[in-house]
Amino acid sequence: MTDTPNGWPQGFHAWTGRIGLREESGDDLSLIASDRPCTSAAVFTRSLFAGAAVLVNRRHAPAQQTRAVVTVAKNANVATGEQGERDAVEIAALAGAVVGAPAEQTLISSTGVIGRLLPMPAVRDALATAAEQWDEHRDASPLDVAAAMMTTDTRPKISAGTVGHARIVGVAKGVGMIEPDMATMLAYLTTDAEVPAGLLDTALRAAVDATFNCLSIDSDTSTSDTVALLANGAAGPVDPAEFTAAVAAVCLDLTRQLASDGEGATKLIQVTVTDARDRVQAKRVAKAVVNSPLVKTAVHGADPNWGRVVMAVGKCMDDTDIDPRRVRVAFGGLEVYPRQAGQDDLARLTEVMKQPEVPITVALGTGTAAVTVYGCDLSAEYVRINADYTT
C-alpha cells in the first residue's frame, strides 16, 4: 500500500536551493543523501543522445554504492559535448563533497532544455552554500525535492510505502518527452530496508518494466531518463517478496501521477491488453493505442469514436496472428467491439470518457499474456506548451 510521505526513511536527508534556471521563483537544485553507506541500483535511458549526467552515472552506478543524488532542473545538459560532461563530473564531485561521499557514490541528473551549457558559476555557488548549510539545514522534505525537480510539471510527485519496519519513499518528475525505454524521466526511491545488491537490482528492474516503461505521454524517449533506488539498511532486513512488491507499488503510484499530469492533460488513459501471445505483443499493441493522437484527442473530447482504438490495433501489421474476428474492445465495462453499439451505448460511452480516468481494454485472442500501460489525453495546451517551450 502506498501513502503520502511525511519525511524520508531513517538516515536520509535532503537540501534544495536556487541557481536561477527557473524563470519564476522557486528552487531548481536538489540534493538527497544518506548519512550511512548504501546499496543501490539504477537504470538509465537507452537514447543515443544520452545526456552528460547519464554518461557519468553509467560509470558510477555499477558499483551499487550510491549515497547521494543531485538534480539540476530546467537544463538537460544534453548535446553539450566534452564541456557538458566535464561539468557533470564536477557537479557530482561537488555534491558528494557536501555530504561526505566520494564522487563515485554520487549520481547527477539534469532535466530541461537540450543543447545549453549549465551556468556553472551559479551551480558552484549553490553547492558551496549547501556545504555550509548541510549539517543544520538538510531538512528539505520529499515534497520540497519533488517540487525543485519539476520542469513543466504542474504538481510534485511523491509516494511512499512500508515493508516490515522499513519505509520506501519515492519522488519523480516528468510530464513531457516521455516514453521511457529502460528507465523514465527522473525518479528516485529511498529506503531504510537492508537489501542485498542483487535483490535491489532485480526488484528495481522488475518494477520499472511493469510501471515506468509502461508509461507514455507523447511517445518521445527522453535523453535524461534516470531511475535510482538507494537502500541504507537502517531499519534492518525485510522479506524479499514483500520488498519487491512494495517497490513496484511505489513505482506504479508515481507512474500514474506522471501520466495524469502529462503536459496539457486533463485525463489519465489506462490501456490493458489481455489474451496476447506474450508480454511483448501486449505492450506493443497497448502502446499503439495509448500513443495514438486520434485516440488521445477522442478521449480529450469525450467523443465516443471507439473505432480509433481498432485502428490503432490494426497498425501493428507485423503481428499477423491478430485476427479482428477474435479481438474484443471495451471502455470500462462497456464492450464496443465486436458488439454493435447503439445510441444508448454511445451515450454511456461518452459518460465513461468524461471521467478523469478512462480505462480501455483490448483482448487480442492470441494467447494469455497481459500488460497495462498508462498515458493521457492530448489537448491544445500540449501544443501550446511545446510550441513555446524555449521562447
Side-chain angles (χ1 to χ4, degrees), residues 146-221:
M149 291 163 54
M150 297 194 309
T151 49
T152 55
D153 303 60
T154 66
R155 53 186 179 271
K157 286 86 180 170
I158 57 176
S159 184
T162 58
V163 52
H165 296 293
R167 298 177 66 235
I168 301 171
V169 175
V171 295
K173 62 78 55 183
V175 293
M177 196 188 289
I178 301 295
E179 185 175 22
D181 188 359
M182 295 305 290
T184 186
M185 341 70 51
L186 304 180
Y188 316 129
L189 281 72
T190 59
T191 181
D192 48 12
E194 181 181 329
V195 185
L199 172 60
L200 204 69
D201 188 72
T202 299
L204 180 64
R205 291 181 184 275
V208 166
D209 184 59
T211 60
F212 295 130
N213 275 354
C214 288
L215 166 68
S216 183
I217 301 298
D218 47 23
S219 80
D220 286 331
T221 298

Side-chain angles (χ1 to χ4, degrees), residues 137-390:
H137 298 286
R138 53 182 186 172
D139 54 357
S141 69
L143 189 65
D144 295 330
V145 170
M149 291 163 54
M150 297 194 309
T151 49
T152 55
D153 303 60
T154 66
R155 53 186 179 271
K157 286 86 180 170
I158 57 176
S159 184
T162 58
V163 52
H165 296 293
R167 298 177 66 235
I168 301 171
V169 175
V171 295
K173 62 78 55 183
V175 293
M177 196 188 289
I178 301 295
E179 185 175 22
D181 188 359
M182 295 305 290
T184 186
M185 341 70 51
L186 304 180
Y188 316 129
L189 281 72
T190 59
T191 181
D192 48 12
E194 181 181 329
V195 185
L199 172 60
L200 204 69
D201 188 72
T202 299
L204 180 64
R205 291 181 184 275
V208 166
D209 184 59
T211 60
F212 295 130
N213 275 354
C214 288
L215 166 68
S216 183
I217 301 298
D218 47 23
S219 80
D220 286 331
T221 298
S222 171
T223 56
S224 305
D225 291 347
T226 297
V227 180
L229 171 57
L230 282 60
N232 68 13
V238 295
D239 180 83
E242 291 179 4
F243 178 77
T244 299
V247 170
V250 170
C251 289
L252 178 58
D253 187 25
L254 291 172
T255 296
R256 290 174 57 85
Q257 291 182 53
L258 292 162
S260 64
D261 193 30
E263 288 177 339
T266 65
K267 301 171 187 176
L268 183 148
I269 302 175
Q270 177 178 299
V271 179
T272 301
V273 171
T274 67
D275 302 337
R277 179 179 67 245
D278 49 36
R279 282 182 55 83
V280 174
Q281 182 184 58
K283 185 176 179 180
R284 179 166 50 248
V285 174
K287 283 289 189 73
V289 174
V290 84
N291 280 332
S292 166
L294 291 177
V295 172
K296 291 161 78 73
T297 50
V299 170
H300 179 68
D303 179 5
N305 192 353
W306 59 264
R308 292 179 174 180
V309 173
V310 299
M311 172 278 300
V313 176
K315 291 193 300 183
C316 300
M317 291 169 283
D318 291 337
D319 290 276
T320 55
D321 55 339
I322 297 177
D323 184 342
R325 293 171 297 184
R326 297 201 301 266
V327 173
R328 299 287 186 273
V329 178
F331 282 69
L334 176 63
E335 183 177 296
V336 295
Y337 176 84
R339 177 176 176 272
Q340 293 296 308
Q343 288 302 312
D344 289 345
D345 294 318
L346 293 178
R348 289 174 56 200
L349 178 55
T350 297
E351 291 306 310
V352 171
M353 296 174 73
K354 286 181 178 178
Q355 300 307 307
E357 180 174 335
V358 178
I360 302 172
T361 303
V362 179
L364 294 181
T366 59
T368 59
V371 163
T372 299
V373 303
Y374 306 88
C376 60
D377 58 337
L378 179 60
S379 70
E381 181 67 7
Y382 176 88
V383 177
R384 187 200 66 75
I385 290 169
N386 286 286
D388 301 333
Y389 192 74
T390 66

Side-chain angles (χ1 to χ4, degrees), residues 27 59 114 133 159 174 198 285 323 369:
D27 291 344
R59 300 196 291 266
I114 289 172
Q133 297 179 344
S159 184
V285 174
D323 184 342

